Amino acid sequence: MRPPARPEVSVQLCPGGPVLVRGADVVRDAGGAEHEVTRPVVAVCACGMSGRAPWCDGTHKVVAAKGAG
Ligand code: FES
């Protein structure tokens, strides 16, 4: 019996923001910890400043605003 087809996983970089991951079951952080994905699309922090790592919490916008001033 064949296993069910897995959904295609795609990754989209958002300049100055998170990485959008579509179709994943798990996201593994830099330390190797696995985080279950329960949504069709998740935003993974790429700035390193999120208080909800590995997920983006919008802090990148504050960092960008401070850097622009
Ligand atoms: S990319 Fe959004 S908080 Fe880091």
Side-chain angles (χ1 to χ4, degrees):
M1 185 169 160
R2 295 174 62 173
R6 296 183 59 114
E8 183 175 313
V9 176
S10 67
V11 174
Q12 177 182 354
L13 304 177
C14 299
V19 175
L20 300 181
V21 179
R22 291 180 173 83
D25 295 326
V26 170
V27 166
R28 187 174 299 119
D29 66 25
E34 293 187 344
H35 303 268
E36 182 182 10
V37 173
T38 59
R39 299 178 180 181
V41 181
V42 290
V44 177
C45 176
C47 74
M49 301 299 288
S50 175
R52 294 181 50 236
W55 315 121
C56 171
D57 67 357
T59 301
H60 64 272
K61 296 175 190 171
V62 176
V63 173
K66 286 183 179 178

